[in-house]
Amino acid sequence: MSLEELERVLAALARGETSVPQALEQLRELPFTDLGFAKVDHHRALRLGYPEVVLGQGKTPAQVVSVAESLYLKGARVLVTRASSEQADAMRERFTATRHDAVARTIVLEHEPLDPRGRGPICVVTAGTSDIPVAQEAVVTAQTLGNEVTRLFDVGVAGIHRLFAHRAELEQASVIIVVAGMEGALASVIGGLIARPIIAVPTSIGYGASLQGLAALLGMLNSCASGVSVVNIDNGFGAACAAHRINQQQA
């Protein structure tokens, strides 16, 4: 339940348009709903400003549908990350408005899209084309949370002139998410050029010694550009949530 919905219930009670038992029924499962295999947190939107997000990884299609239904029927937007095609098919069978992004591995179900809020756009940048799936997870997450998002893909340090051609777009961003594998140098380059909050996302893209993203993670953590923040390997979702908090707080 969002803050707006809670205010609507209480206002209707104050005006006498609903009874105390009716209001209690609407608020009865406000903290969480116990589905047996999951306790769905309906209070999160009141605490953080956005509802619980469903991690599809490790869940059956039926479990994803059940959790999504519990959120959606109480007015929440639903975002499923690391979703499989089987989970997307099950969601579409239950809710025709389901949107599946196979590249981002996300499922979105919302009553209506949010108008973009915040100080400005969140710019999602990738070093290479192979980093796009992680970047697209960040894009979908940030958009679903109500942010304007711009994309700048395949501008890594191997052809740094490609990045310089888009400096104006980077300067117009409120927050920049930099997604890179290999040695992860792109975050340091952008962090040394642009005076915006930088959130670096190491990806597991690279050859053997990249150690499935560990080399990029360590490179970003040891960035010589001060003020670059780093999230976990392949965690586009986490980067988008951090960017959302920065963007909304600035507003």
Side-chain angles (χ1 to χ4, degrees):
M1 176 176 282
S2 67
L3 181 61
E4 292 77 11
E5 289 173 294
L6 180 57
E7 289 176 343
R8 178 184 54 76
V9 171
L10 296 178
L13 180 63
R15 292 191 301 266
E17 296 173 359
T18 187
S19 65
V20 170
Q22 288 172 328
L24 286 174
E25 180 62 27
Q26 294 181 67
L27 299 174
R28 182 172 56 85
E29 292 185 335
L30 176 60
F32 64 89
T33 297
D34 192 346
L35 300 177
F37 64 88
K39 292 178 175 61
V40 184
D41 183 2
H42 300 301
H43 202 271
R44 194 165 306 184
L46 294 175
R47 300 195 312 270
L48 302 181
Y50 54 88
E52 180 175 6
V53 174
V54 183
L55 176 65
Q57 185 176 341
K59 293 183 176 67
T60 67
Q63 287 173 335
V64 168
V65 169
S66 183
V67 174
E69 183 176 56
S70 179
L71 290 165
Y72 186 70
L73 294 182
K74 286 185 170 54
R77 303 184 309 282
V78 178
L79 171 62
V80 184
T81 63
R82 302 301 164 97
S84 67
S85 57
E86 292 78 13
Q87 291 167 344
D89 290 341
M91 281 289 293
R92 272 191 294 260
E93 186 174 338
R94 175 64 181 88
F95 298 102
T96 56
T98 295
R99 301 198 312 273
H100 176 222
D101 187 321
V103 175
R105 293 182 293 169
T106 57
I107 299 169
V108 175
L109 176 65
E110 52 193 357
H111 298 273
E112 57 184 24
L114 285 176
D115 292 330
R117 300 168 294 165
R119 181 135 189 180
I122 294 171
C123 186
V124 180
V125 185
T126 75
T129 303
S130 298
D131 300 309
I132 288 177
V134 174
Q136 191 61 20
E137 180 181 73
V139 168
V140 173
T141 300
Q143 289 175 331
T144 304
L145 295 179
N147 300 275
E148 179 186 354
V149 180
T150 59
R151 285 172 270 206
L152 188 54
F153 291 168
D154 195 27
V155 292
V157 298
I160 199 68
H161 57 291
R162 300 172 298 175
L163 177 68
F164 295 155
H166 295 278
R167 182 163 181 169
E169 295 170 57
L170 294 170
E171 300 232 352
Q172 290 168 4
S174 174
V175 187
I176 301 172
I177 297 174
V178 182
V179 184
M182 301 292 189
E183 84 290 7
L186 184 61
S188 290
V189 172
I190 295 178
L193 286 174
I194 308 298
R196 296 290 182 272
I198 309 292
I199 302 170
V201 187
T203 72
S204 52
I205 298 301
Y207 296 102
S210 70
L211 301 175
Q212 296 182 315
L214 184 58
L217 172 63
L218 293 176
M220 290 171 170
L221 287 172
N222 287 282
S223 172
C224 62
S226 56
V228 173
S229 300
V230 187
V231 298
N232 210 340
I233 297 169
D234 292 337
N235 192 8
F237 164 74
C241 289
H244 168 76
R245 290 191 180 205
I246 294 169
N247 197 32
Q248 301 306 313
Q249 188 167 11
Q250 287 178 338

